[in-house]
Amino acid sequence: MLSQKMADALNAQVNREMYSAYLYMAMSSHSAEKGLKGFANWFMVQYHEEMLHAMKIFEYIQRQGSIAVVGQIDRPPAEWSSPLDMFERTLEHEKKVTAWINDLMELAIAEKDHATRIFLQWYVTEQVEEEENDNDLIAQLKMIGDDKQGLMLLDRELAQRMTTVPTDFSKGVEAAMEAQA
Ligand code: FEO
């Protein structure tokens, strides 16, 4: 059983994760338009990760007997000045997500909601990985600088990224994650 305050805060996070998916969809589209198909792939894989993040909370809210709200998703930007700009904006966004997850954790602790606190631990760990990935790519893009050949090589590397999270949630998110483990 969630308090109304906790349910509202979790629903707000579902919306933010959906926005994250939307943002990475936009970055994937922008990359494809620039001929960077590997970057487009990387961001589309990230889109699937964000959908999992959103749907996992969505399902948790329902399992706790509360209403999972489907709200309006803001329109993300559509233009970035360079691949480095995209990843710097990505890191900036992920830092905000980390702060929101920390706020949710603080609320769960304040409300002595141990189930939600344990549930949120997965997100705390996940955010470390998200920021690490972005930091690594920012460092590589800074090293590449204006070297077009370096950018092409990185694009080829990013084309190898595969989706490792479940994408079919029809039988439940946790069930899909367990089936994949
Ligand atoms: Fe769902 Fe990238 O945080």
Side-chain angles (χ1 to χ4, degrees), residues 19-149:
Y19 174 81
S20 304
Y22 233 38
L23 175 64
Y24 299 140
M25 242 173 107
M27 287 180 172
S28 180
S29 171
H30 180 76
S31 301
E33 185 202 332
K34 299 288 174 198
L36 294 168
K37 294 223 167 118
F39 282 80
N41 172 69
W42 194 95
F43 282 113
M44 201 44 83
V45 171
Q46 198 58 34
Y47 156 85
H48 286 303
E49 298 256 340
E50 299 302 344
M51 289 303 292
L52 172 72
H53 297 173
M55 294 306 295
K56 193 172 156 68
I57 303 173
F58 186 86
E59 181 177 275
Y60 176 74
I61 295 167
Q62 289 178 328
R63 288 180 71 200
Q64 286 278 30
S66 297
I67 298 168
V69 178
V70 177
Q72 186 168 333
I73 305 165
D74 289 341
R75 185 178 180 174
E79 288 286 330
W80 292 271
S81 61
S82 64
L84 177 60
D85 183 36
M86 266 192 307
F87 275 99
E88 283 179 337
R89 297 289 81 77
T90 297
L91 178 61
E92 202 173 85
H93 178 70
E94 288 301 332
K95 283 182 175 173
K96 270 198 270 176
V97 175
T98 301
W100 285 322
I101 296 291
N102 287 340
D103 288 347
L104 283 168
M105 187 61 110
E106 291 291 326
L107 181 61
I109 291 166
E111 296 209 341
K112 296 187 172 62
D113 181 346
H114 298 295
T116 301
R117 181 180 57 76
I118 291 165
F119 171 77
L120 288 170
Q121 263 167 11
W122 184 88
Y123 287 85
V124 172
T125 308
E126 186 74 2
Q127 281 310 118
V128 175
E129 192 187 308
E130 297 266 293
E131 289 190 29
E132 187 184 10
N133 287 342
D134 298 336
N135 275 318
D136 287 350
L137 282 161
I138 287 169
Q140 287 187 58
L141 283 164
K142 281 186 175 165
M143 251 188 295
I144 287 168
D146 292 332
D147 175 7
K148 294 256 183 303
Q149 211 175 346

